[in-house]
Amino acid sequence: MRSLIDILDLSVSEIDDLIKTANDIIDNPKAYSDRCRGKKLATLFFEPSTRTRLSFEAAMYELGGNVIGFSEAQSSSASKGESVADTAKVISCYADIIAMRHPKEGAPLVAAMNATVPVINAGDGGHNHPTQTLADLLTIQREKGSFENLTVGFCGDLKFGRTVHSLICALSRYSGIKVILISPEELKLPSYVKKDVLAKNGIYYEQTQDLESAMPQLDILYMTRVQRERFFNEEDYLRLKDSYILDPRKLKNAKSDLCIMHPLPRVNEISVAVDSDPRACYFKQVLYGKYIRMALILKLLEEAGK
Ligand code: NCD
């Protein structure tokens, strides 16, 4: 059964096809409004979410399908001690496809190994978030036209930010990519991502703590929230949470066609004064997330023969 656990589960040409389908859905939404009639998506969210869960739900409704599920672990049998493997077997009896978010790294993979329907990883701990990456890629494709020869700055919590890890993996397959890692010392990109992804694919990267000096060379600036829920103590969080606050002054030396992205939710790291800047793409990114999830649901259901 084909699932999506890691962004690298999809080949570059499959990603191109998903982007093509998403763009076609944007142009012809009516042509897709009945494609999942009679099908059910189960959203199993063991960790809080607004965008990801609701965009999966909106995606399924816009395809004419239905949605079942839960949005917190407390309201599921996990609170009685049920394993992820058992939950996956049970939900496979009710739904045609599953989207799962879980605080434990690897939980969606365990679900996929036990489910008899496709499982989509909707974020596992500080590890991966492949559907956010698909939303990011669609945004980049629409804003920049291609994934090649881009200098991409990642800023903020690069240690725990799963969206950063997945997007770096995805970009490492394109040529001419330069990555600038901007973070406080304590929140640097994990060395396994540097070694197994960046170095292994020969991707040029730099590490700095200084957002303003990196700014002029960036084509894309990917801002992130400091991931409070993954910190071991509140003091460290409070010390690091406002390390970077993007405001109009810091954008003075930025390229005129910079694309400012953020997976959201935003806390303080982008001032609201930036929202009206034409380079701010983070709310478009939310909308694109729904369309690319529609394309993904269609693809996985088709491959599953549903
Ligand atoms: C991200 C996540 O859950 O990792 N949010 C999202 O899915 N759009 C980013 C975050 O929570 O900071």
Side-chain angles (χ1 to χ4, degrees):
M1 183 60 55
R2 187 83 193 274
S3 285
L4 177 64
I5 303 302
D6 187 302
I7 191 67
L8 297 180
D9 294 344
L10 294 167
S11 68
V12 167
S13 80
E14 285 179 311
I15 287 179
D16 285 348
D17 288 345
L18 285 172
I19 287 175
K20 255 188 225 133
T21 307
N23 280 321
D24 193 52
I25 298 172
I26 292 171
D27 293 341
N28 308 292
K30 282 217 172 81
Y32 291 84
S33 62
D34 233 12
R35 293 279 296 272
C36 285
R37 184 72 58 211
K39 300 281 178 281
K40 271 174 277 161
L41 163 76
T43 52
L44 314 184
F45 276 63
F46 294 87
E47 210 187 42
S49 167
T50 306
R51 259 152 305 277
T52 306
R53 183 172 60 84
L54 296 185
S55 78
F56 267 113
E57 298 192 356
M60 194 55 168
Y61 285 124
E62 289 191 26
L63 290 166
N66 293 303
V67 180
I68 56 174
F70 54 82
S71 55
E72 47 183 316
Q74 280 320 309
S75 62
S76 80
S77 283
S79 66
K80 300 181 190 167
E82 186 171 55
S83 67
V84 166
D86 281 3
T87 302
K89 284 181 190 155
V90 168
I91 304 299
S92 298
C93 302
Y94 306 142
D96 300 285
I97 186 163
I98 293 172
M100 175 187 274
R101 168 169 289 191
H102 203 285
K104 287 219 174 86
E105 286 81 3
L109 174 63
V110 172
M113 288 160 65
N114 287 278
T116 53
V117 299
V119 174
I120 301 171
N121 178 4
D124 61 328
H127 192 213
N128 280 325
H129 194 347
T131 63
Q132 180 62 48
T133 299
L134 291 174
D136 299 342
L137 291 173
L138 177 59
T139 308
I140 295 171
Q141 187 272 332
R142 290 182 67 97
E143 294 296 317
K144 294 280 167 202
S146 125
F147 301 121
E148 313 221 306
N149 304 319
L150 295 172
T151 299
V152 186
F154 290 90
C155 179
D157 186 347
L158 311 188
K159 179 178 183 188
F160 296 116
R162 56 193 172 195
T163 62
V164 170
H165 307 159
S166 289
L167 182 54
I168 287 178
C169 276
L171 290 175
S172 70
R173 295 192 288 191
Y174 300 96
S175 67
I177 295 289
K178 249 174 94 175
V179 170
I180 315 292
L181 303 167
I182 307 151
S183 74
E185 186 60 31
E186 294 92 328
L187 298 178
K188 277 163 109 176
L189 190 73
S191 51
Y192 81 89
V193 184
K194 280 184 266 189
K195 199 167 130 244
D196 300 344
V197 184
L198 292 172
K200 196 170 154 199
N201 291 290
I203 304 292
Y204 174 86
Y205 72 94
E206 285 170 21
Q207 299 191 93
T208 175
Q209 301 196 11
D210 186 354
L211 172 59
E212 280 176 85
S213 69
M215 192 67 87
Q217 57 178 319
L218 303 180
D219 297 305
I220 293 171
L221 171 58
Y222 196 93
M223 294 296 295
T224 61
R225 165 182 78 89
V226 175
Q227 306 277 299
R228 179 182 207 154
E229 65 276 35
R230 312 218 190 278
F231 273 68
F232 293 111
N233 70 67
E234 183 73 1
E235 248 166 63
D236 285 350
Y237 169 72
L238 293 174
R239 185 167 49 80
L240 293 167
K241 73 182 174 70
D242 293 328
S243 300
Y244 299 98
I245 299 177
L246 182 67
D247 58 23
R249 189 187 57 78
K250 293 195 181 115
L251 284 166
K252 274 217 177 89
N253 295 323
K255 288 189 181 172
S256 59
D257 62 350
L258 171 71
C259 169
I260 306 167
M261 299 173 66
H262 190 309
L264 304 181
R266 145 176 73 182
V267 186
N268 279 329
E269 57 282 350
I270 302 182
S271 120
V272 289
V274 175
D275 295 0
S276 54
D277 189 304
R279 293 168 291 187
C281 294
Y282 30 93
F283 290 112
K284 288 190 219 169
Q285 212 177 329
V286 176
L287 185 62
Y288 296 151
K290 179 185 70 180
Y291 293 116
I292 200 86
R293 288 183 175 100
M294 290 171 77
L296 178 67
I297 291 169
L298 280 174
K299 173 181 171 66
L300 292 178
L301 284 177
E302 227 161 73
E303 286 189 25
K306 298 260 182 194

